[in-house]
Amino acid sequence: MRFAKNRLRATASAAVAVAMGAAALTALPATASAAGDGLSVQYRTSATGASADQAEPWFKVKNTGTTTVQLANVKIRYYFKADSASATYRFACSWAVKGCANVTGTFGTLANPTATADRYLEIGFTSGAGSLAPGADTGDMQLRFYQSTWQSLNQSDDYSFGASQTSYGDWSKVTAQPAGTTLWGQAPAGNDPTNPPTDPPATGATLFDDFNYSAYNDPKVSAHGWSVRSTSGGPGVPGATWAPDKVTFATTSGNSIMNLETSTAGTGESTKQTEIVTNSRKFKNGTYAARVKFNDAPKSGPDGDHLVQTFFTINDLTAPMADDYSEYDFEYLPNGGWGEPSNILYTTSWETYQADPWVAVNQHTEGRQSYNGWHDLVLTIDNSSIKYYIDGQLFGTHDSAYLPERPMSINFNQWLIDLAGQTSTTARAYDEQVDYVLHVKDQVLTPAQVAAKVAAYRGAGTTFEDTVPSS
């Protein structure tokens, strides 16, 4: 948080709602929605390893009802966990009784990712597949899919995968729908296939920045709506300064990266902190995303400082406890702080606060582990909740009481809570790195959709776009 010096991590008026990846519900076949309708799906795998070059889900679909089923109306979904947020997949049919030319495969993303599923493979049929009379089945469909890069797949955390299914048997961890009604299987929690997510319109107002700049004083930085902070004040230790020259840019393997360096020699006067912020407060509901590299250790000097590495949105506190204040944070403390003894990551949604005496009205989720390295951070805000995702997994869901009332800026900063974590007077410096930032106004994107949108910008050679109107 940008303004408070000593934050307490206590919620004043609400409990934390944490979703670290919900366990899948026990799958049971659904009952038919109308008399005479019925389907079942048998499954086996021809690739049983936890790791494999490609997944090989084989299926037979049987008509268990009393009326004929047109296969062109049937969809089957196999649910899996993507190997990374940016992973893309390819479908193939090795052999099918109905003919591979009559079997289709497309991939989609889930509206509510779980610990074992954020994507699905949807199998469909052309009209050439014909129909199934009561009691008939499709026969063998020997299907497979693989990463477009041909990197190995991790199947062990895939919802629909069954390593022991080496011969056909009923498998209710896939779903089957004729004409949009689920007649077989149980989808991962919160992902009823009768209400599929829709891709957001491609024309949504968007800010995308790949941070392709030469230096903090590159004219394009301000022209693209950013300020690199040089003004004094909190947060951080008394006497610290904000050093714009410590915000630098470099190209690694053809990709531009922004680096925020914070350094100290154990005194306020020697402490230099870094922050970059959008000039405009014009961002409210929608999707926010950034790829950020947190670092547990300093790049030089002794370790141990109570450091905060961030990505957040915020507006101004117009008065103590003002109810139109808004702030949504990803904050990583590699060495603890705020009473925590070791590394911890907070996501926090703020309603308001008062600096003196300190009162905080917020809701937070915490992860007590190392987050050293690159991470895909996604925040979504709609009219009902705030959701935080880390590396494609739902990390926390916060209540509607904390929704924003006014537009906000987008910020990255790195600063020291205090000098109590490391009392040495030896100089040391820490880095936080940022790959890109994305905001899509008024649209809730899944992490996979974020990755696809960023990939599309980069594929087109676009390093900056801002079509978000001023508020």
Side-chain angles (χ1 to χ4, degrees):
M1 178 181 178
R2 188 178 175 188
F3 300 106
K5 294 182 180 178
N6 299 301
R7 290 174 69 175
L8 301 178
R9 291 294 170 172
T11 302
S13 63
V16 176
V18 182
M20 295 296 289
L25 297 179
T26 301
L28 295 174
T31 56
S33 60
D37 293 337
L39 288 176
S40 66
V41 179
Q42 291 192 324
Y43 158 84
R44 62 159 291 188
T45 180
S46 187
T48 59
S51 177
D53 289 338
Q54 56 187 350
E56 297 188 53
W58 296 8
F59 298 110
K60 290 181 181 179
V61 180
K62 183 176 182 179
N63 181 359
T64 59
T66 58
T67 59
T68 297
V69 173
Q70 297 297 320
L71 281 172
N73 295 328
V74 174
K75 303 292 185 185
I76 307 165
R77 285 189 180 177
Y78 177 97
Y79 302 90
F80 66 99
K81 174 75 167 58
D83 292 86
S84 70
S86 59
T88 57
Y89 296 86
R90 300 287 182 265
F91 166 78
C93 173
S94 298
W95 187 78
V97 171
K98 291 290 185 180
C100 280
N102 296 316
V103 180
T104 64
T106 56
F107 296 93
T109 58
L110 293 181
N112 298 295
T114 72
T116 57
D118 57 10
R119 310 274 185 99
Y120 59 83
L121 168 64
E122 185 172 272
I123 305 302
F125 301 88
T126 69
S127 58
S131 61
L132 290 181
D137 65 48
T138 59
D140 238 359
M141 293 188 291
Q142 298 180 11
L143 312 180
R144 54 192 173 91
F145 66 93
Y146 52 91
Q147 289 202 67
S148 57
T149 60
W150 277 106
Q151 291 179 292
S152 294
L153 301 172
N154 175 21
Q155 300 191 97
S156 63
D157 59 354
D158 290 351
Y159 177 86
S160 295
F161 174 66
S164 62
Q165 285 293 115
T166 56
S167 59
Y168 278 114
D170 287 352
W171 195 248
S172 54
K173 286 191 174 183
V174 296
T175 55
Q177 300 172 269
T181 301
T182 302
L183 295 186
W184 177 265
Q186 176 69 53
N191 292 284
D192 183 352
T194 61
N195 297 296
T198 57
D199 288 333
T203 55
T206 301
L207 167 69
F208 171 73
D209 201 329
D210 209 19
F211 294 113
N212 189 16
Y213 303 111
S214 60
Y216 78 94
N217 53 2
D218 185 332
K220 291 190 298 182
V221 173
S222 58
H224 290 172
W226 296 98
S227 287
V228 182
R229 185 176 178 184
S230 60
T231 56
S232 61
V237 299
T241 56
W242 297 85
D245 62 309
K246 297 300 182 181
V247 177
T248 57
F249 303 88
T251 300
T252 303
S253 301
N255 189 38
S256 54
I257 300 294
M258 177 172 67
N259 190 79
L260 285 72
E261 178 190 296
T262 292
S263 60
T264 188
T267 66
E269 293 71 21
S270 67
T271 302
K272 298 183 183 299
Q273 306 177 140
T274 43
E275 180 172 43
I276 184 168
V277 55
T278 59
N279 294 317
S280 296
R281 294 188 188 125
K282 61 178 183 177
F283 309 100
K284 194 180 176 188
N285 286 18
T287 300
Y288 300 80
R291 184 164 173 79
V292 177
K293 186 178 183 182
F294 298 129
N295 289 288
D296 281 353
K299 65 179 179 181
S300 62
D303 198 1
D305 287 291
H306 290 159
L307 188 72
V308 186
Q309 301 173 335
T310 77
F311 164 46
F312 64 105
T313 70
I314 194 171
N315 59 30
D316 57 321
L317 183 72
T318 56
M321 304 301 290
D323 61 6
D324 62 349
Y325 177 73
S326 302
E327 181 183 351
Y328 307 94
D329 303 328
F330 289 92
E331 295 175 308
Y332 181 54
L333 283 59
N335 294 310
W338 293 320
E340 292 291 332
S342 60
N343 41 28
I344 186 169
L345 187 144
Y346 292 104
T347 60
T348 310
S349 302
W350 288 82
E351 171 60 19
T352 190
Y353 74 96
Q354 174 180 284
D356 189 18
W358 180 252
V359 178
V361 183
N362 63 39
Q363 189 171 11
H364 72 271
T365 303
E366 57 204 36
R368 288 182 172 84
Q369 66 180 64
S370 171
Y371 286 89
N372 185 64
W374 283 105
H375 296 283
D376 296 302
L377 310 179
V378 175
L379 158 70
T380 66
I381 304 173
D382 58 20
N383 290 321
S384 61
S385 66
I386 305 106
K387 293 183 178 180
Y388 297 86
Y389 298 84
I390 299 176
D391 297 329
Q393 290 297 299
L394 184 62
F395 182 80
T397 301
H398 296 172
D399 299 338
S400 59
Y402 303 92
L403 292 172
E405 289 86 5
R406 291 186 293 130
M408 301 167 287
S409 62
I410 296 174
N411 301 43
F412 299 89
N413 67 15
Q414 184 179 218
W415 51 281
L416 294 179
I417 298 170
D418 54 43
L419 297 171
Q422 172 57 265
T423 58
S424 171
T425 56
T426 300
R428 57 267 191 190
Y430 300 82
D431 284 342
E432 174 188 358
Q433 294 174 310
V434 183
D435 185 6
Y436 70 84
V437 67
L438 174 75
H439 171 70
V440 182
K441 177 180 170 63
D442 295 331
Q443 293 180 16
V444 172
L445 275 63
T446 66
Q449 288 169 333
V450 167
K453 197 168 186 69
V454 172
Y457 276 119
R458 289 178 164 169
T462 301
T463 59
F464 176 81
E465 178 179 88
D466 186 3
T467 59
V468 180
S470 298
S471 57

